[in-house]
Amino acid sequence: MTFVGSLQQLGRAFMLPMIVLPGAAVFLSLSQLPWDYIGLPGMPAHLQAASEVIFLYLPYIFALGVALGLTGNALAAGMASLIGMVIYTGITGSADANIEPTVMIGAIIGIVSGISHKRFKDLRLPEYIQFFGGPRFVPLFVSFVALLFSIGMINVAPYLESFMVELGEVVASGGGFGVFLYGFVHRILVVFGLHHLVSHVFWFQIGGYETEAGNMVYGDLPRFFAGDPTAGSFMAGLYPTMMFALPAIAFAIIHEAREDLKPKIRKTFLYAALASFLTGVTEPVEFAFLFVAPYLYVVHAILSGVIMWVTYELGILHGFSFSAGAIDFIINEHLATRGWLLIPIGIVVGIVYYVLFRWAIRRFRIPTPGREEGSQLDEWAGDIPYRAPLILQAIGGKQNIIQMESCITRLRLKVSNEKVLDINALRNLGAAGVIRLGGGHVQVVFGTYSELIREEMLKAIQRDQAQVLFHSPMQGRMIPLEEVPDPIFAGKLVGQGVAFLPDKGELVSPVKGKVIHIYPTMHAIGIKTEEGLEVLLHIGIDTSKLAGKSYFQAVVKEGDDVLPGMLLIRFNLQKVRKESKSLATPMVITNSDRVRSWRYAPFKAVKKGQSSVMSVVLKESNGGGETQ
């Protein structure tokens, strides 16, 4: 599984250079406008040249993007990839053979640069030549590799060119079934974040086309924009799925949600449906049912392949620069063949998906969001700076992160210990899904906010502020302190914090610290953390009168050291519920004057001992010898 983890990083690296392609598509589309009418007759030529030059230098862009993507934006690797491409172009260009750099060549040199950086970034040479050691050695090494690679390519390029064209013909000979198979595999690989790898082969390598200028371009995507009348079959069929099928699933989830949760689910999934329709970003919707009904996802993958087969048989050819959303559909429609048919097909697809998913959710009682314990999907852009430290804790803290990257919809992590990941906390904090690929490689799907989350997590790591992180002291639901039916706690006269409504009669420690006080009735307990915070846990409201072992039983004593998740008190949930005003259990910091800022997770259902429900940043120490 470590191999799969490495592949998902490579898939992310392939996605990085593709962010420039929408610019090329927009320029090409704008060149079709009647600029003569506003006195700019030369503008179409300028726009077309801007578009063509992006595709011309696409191999260089891929070399640089892949190298940076594999190394976390290491400049030495990026420089090495560009040097490698320059050497390759120079040597092959001076040969008699007609060889041009391709995206595949750029990707290979980018991969070599990325691997070389990982291998040699810490290289130590003798002191008198150490200047060339470490990262500086990478461009030198790649230069020699590029030299040998280029000489070898002069000999094999003619055969390779013929192979790529023939491979395209073989794939084309598969007809509709070949397109179906691609569509099915593409959707399955989305689960592992590896879909960019298979897409890269079909979009940028298979099939060749000679432009009017005499240049060869390879792959469905460049051929489509170069004017190849046969290109677009591996892209057209994705439009009905992304523009209509996924939004239909979102509406089915909304309409099957409980009435009390429907307003929130409606807001969340309308955004997700709009993102899929406009931009082709599908993971926020797909991950809402992937983990709770994987068999339904397989059906979805099969249908996606069938849709591509249908578009192929109808002779529909369409393409995109980024993804099969409405924006790309409109921008590139002037290059399509029978592209308008995708709209009625999409409408039929949307109806089929909506009916199928509503029936399946209801028939098999699938716990999609808004139905019992459905997967979480949250709309919380404004809360990212506050949740990022909690997400960092749920991942296991900065010490557990070896590498952290992000793509459009997910954090891609390599962690030291997968066991310390708190999956429940991550879901509670807005993750649509968590995927373990083995070897420490983990993906956390946060939708289109993933890059912003990564940036805020990096800021939190760099600030390295003194903070205390709190776990859930019980299983149940976390609520704001203001909702506790007691004016003393709700008014924060005892201290500030949060409260919980328990589902189970167990209270566990939310922090690492020492038990400093247990009330005689054992309905409340005080803990002092290593940082000096005094935490009060009070089970229920008006419970001080409930004396006797039949109500509360402490399993720790004053002076005991406790860790997060350690059992503190057992209590009879039914008796306490019956004879108290409320089961609401406040968790407050009684010396709140020592806290500078507070962060809370969403007020949702929590598991006992779940991390990342609250964190506080401490004020600077004014003395006393304590580190704050």
Side-chain angles (χ1 to χ4, degrees):
M1 289 300 289
T2 302
F3 176 69
V4 176
S6 299
L7 283 182
Q8 65 97 11
Q9 185 181 8
L10 182 60
R12 184 260 177 188
F14 278 139
M15 195 63 191
L16 182 61
M18 290 187 66
I19 62 176
V20 304
L21 294 180
V26 170
F27 292 150
L28 190 59
S29 179
L30 291 177
S31 70
Q32 306 299 313
L33 297 178
W35 293 96
D36 292 346
Y37 289 103
I38 58 175
L40 296 172
M43 185 59 73
H46 296 325
L47 290 168
Q48 190 165 357
S51 175
E52 291 175 352
V53 79
I54 291 177
F55 284 103
L56 178 64
Y57 287 100
L58 203 57
Y60 294 84
I61 295 170
F62 263 83
L64 178 62
V66 169
L68 295 178
L70 288 176
T71 59
N73 300 325
L75 296 180
M79 178 64 71
S81 67
L82 290 180
I83 291 173
M85 283 301 301
V86 169
I87 292 173
Y88 176 85
T89 306
I91 293 177
T92 56
S94 64
D96 293 334
N98 183 23
I99 303 175
E100 297 176 2
T102 64
V103 168
M104 182 182 69
I105 297 300
I108 291 173
I109 292 179
I111 292 171
V112 170
S113 301
I115 294 174
S116 300
H117 182 269
K118 292 182 179 180
R119 175 65 181 83
F120 299 118
K121 64 181 179 179
D122 298 318
L123 178 65
R124 292 182 179 274
L125 297 174
E127 186 175 352
Y128 51 89
I129 56 171
Q130 179 55 34
F131 175 81
F132 298 104
R136 296 187 186 93
F137 183 76
V138 178
L140 294 175
F141 177 78
V142 174
S143 297
F144 283 100
V145 173
L147 172 67
L148 298 175
F149 178 68
S150 303
I151 295 172
M153 282 298 296
I154 292 174
N155 298 315
V156 303
Y159 304 102
L160 187 61
E161 180 178 343
S162 300
F163 172 74
M164 295 304 296
V165 174
E166 290 176 7
L167 182 60
E169 293 175 354
V170 170
V171 172
S173 68
F177 180 74
V179 177
F180 160 79
L181 197 59
Y182 164 75
F184 172 76
V185 172
H186 180 272
R187 290 257 65 81
I188 291 295
L189 290 181
V190 166
V191 176
F192 305 100
L194 301 178
H195 51 298
H196 304 311
L197 295 179
V198 67
S199 297
H200 181 272
V201 174
F202 287 91
W203 293 349
F204 294 103
Q205 295 180 28
I206 291 180
Y209 174 70
E210 186 173 355
T211 66
E212 294 180 359
N215 299 321
M216 286 294 295
V217 293
Y218 298 93
D220 210 36
L221 193 152
R223 288 192 292 115
F224 177 80
F225 285 100
D228 185 350
T230 65
S233 58
F234 290 98
M235 295 182 285
L238 293 174
Y239 277 107
T241 297
M242 296 183 177
M243 289 176 58
F244 296 94
L246 272 301
I249 295 173
F251 282 108
I253 290 173
I254 292 171
H255 293 152
E256 287 300 319
R258 293 189 343 229
E259 288 301 322
D260 58 324
L261 298 177
K262 193 167 288 187
K264 182 177 181 179
I265 295 299
R266 180 183 294 113
K267 177 183 177 182
T268 298
F269 277 88
L270 282 178
Y271 281 124
L274 190 61
S276 181
F277 177 78
L278 291 178
T279 68
V281 175
T282 63
E283 282 96 326
V285 177
E286 289 176 319
F287 277 79
F289 67 92
L290 167 63
F291 295 104
V292 294
Y295 53 86
L296 195 57
Y297 190 88
V298 174
V299 174
H300 164 54
I302 293 173
L303 288 176
S304 298
V306 170
I307 293 167
M308 294 200 69
W309 195 339
V310 170
T311 59
Y312 175 85
E313 295 295 343
L314 292 176
I316 301 172
L317 300 173
H318 209 314
F320 47 76
S321 59
F322 171 68
S323 191
I327 295 174
D328 256 304
F329 178 85
I330 295 170
I331 289 176
N332 303 314
E333 172 60 21
H334 66 285
L335 299 173
T337 300
R338 308 185 76 185
W340 63 271
L341 282 174
L342 293 173
I343 300 301
I345 291 173
I347 293 174
V348 173
V349 166
I351 294 172
V352 170
Y353 262 79
Y354 177 78
V355 173
L356 172 64
F357 270 76
R358 283 208 69 174
W359 172 82
I361 291 171
R362 187 176 301 178
R363 173 66 176 80
F364 301 108
R365 298 182 180 179
I366 300 172
T368 49
R371 292 172 56 88
E372 305 302 331
E373 296 294 327
S375 58
Q376 302 292 340
L377 187 63
D378 216 344
E379 181 63 35
W380 45 281
D383 293 339
I384 289 175
Y386 302 98
R387 295 199 197 182
L390 297 174
I391 294 171
L392 183 61
Q393 182 196 8
I395 291 170
K398 65 179 182 180
Q399 67 277 2
N400 194 40
I401 298 176
I402 298 175
Q403 187 174 4
M404 178 171 61
E405 298 173 340
S406 63
C407 64
I408 296 171
T409 58
R410 60 189 82 187
L411 286 179
R412 297 174 182 261
L413 304 163
K414 185 173 183 181
V415 297
S416 299
N417 185 0
E418 293 184 36
K419 295 181 180 179
V420 302
L421 294 173
D422 193 327
I423 306 299
N424 289 322
L426 288 169
R427 288 182 177 273
N428 199 46
L429 289 164
V434 180
I435 306 167
R436 302 171 189 256
L437 297 174
H441 293 277
V442 178
Q443 297 177 1
V444 187
V445 182
F446 279 111
T448 50
Y449 297 127
S450 296
E451 180 61 32
L452 296 177
I453 293 170
R454 175 180 175 272
E455 291 177 2
E456 290 298 330
M457 288 173 65
L458 289 175
K459 290 178 183 177
I461 292 172
Q462 291 166 359
R463 284 194 300 262
D464 198 22
Q465 294 172 318
Q467 59 181 327
V468 182
L469 305 167
F470 287 76
H471 296 242
S472 172
M474 53 179 47
Q475 179 175 308
R477 185 165 65 90
M478 188 169 80
I479 62 174
L481 199 60
E482 292 82 359
E483 293 184 10
V484 175
D486 180 87
I488 302 297
F489 283 111
K492 302 179 181 178
L493 301 180
V494 177
Q496 189 169 336
V498 293
F500 300 84
L501 295 174
D503 292 336
K504 191 175 180 181
E506 291 182 342
L507 181 77
V508 300
S509 178
V511 291
K512 179 181 180 181
K514 184 183 293 291
V515 177
I516 58 174
H517 186 62
I518 299 177
Y519 283 73
T521 54
M522 291 182 273
H523 73 287
I525 187 171
I527 301 173
K528 188 172 185 178
T529 71
E530 294 177 326
E531 298 81 8
L533 294 182
E534 296 176 359
V535 182
L536 172 64
L537 297 159
H538 192 287
I539 303 172
I541 302 302
D542 290 346
T543 51
S544 58
K545 61 185 179 182
L546 303 180
K549 292 185 179 180
S550 61
Y551 294 100
F552 306 98
Q553 183 177 5
V555 297
V556 293
K557 60 183 183 298
E558 293 181 3
D560 283 354
D561 293 323
V562 293
L563 296 172
M566 184 180 293
L567 182 63
L568 302 176
I569 298 173
R570 289 191 179 94
F571 58 96
N572 191 313
L573 185 69
Q574 300 305 325
K575 282 190 174 183
V576 174
R577 176 187 283 119
K578 182 178 179 180
E579 300 186 34
S580 66
K581 182 178 180 181
S582 170
L583 282 174
T585 300
M587 177 179 73
V588 298
I589 298 175
T590 56
N591 54 345
S592 300
D593 57 309
R594 301 191 60 181
V595 176
R596 185 170 70 189
S597 62
W598 304 72
R599 297 184 178 96
Y600 306 104
F603 295 103
K604 298 179 179 178
V606 293
K607 301 292 185 181
K608 180 181 64 177
Q610 176 179 311
S611 65
S612 307
V613 297
M614 183 178 80
S615 74
V616 298
V617 176
L618 305 181
K619 294 179 180 178
E620 295 297 329
S621 177
N622 295 319
E626 292 175 340
T627 301
Q628 299 184 38

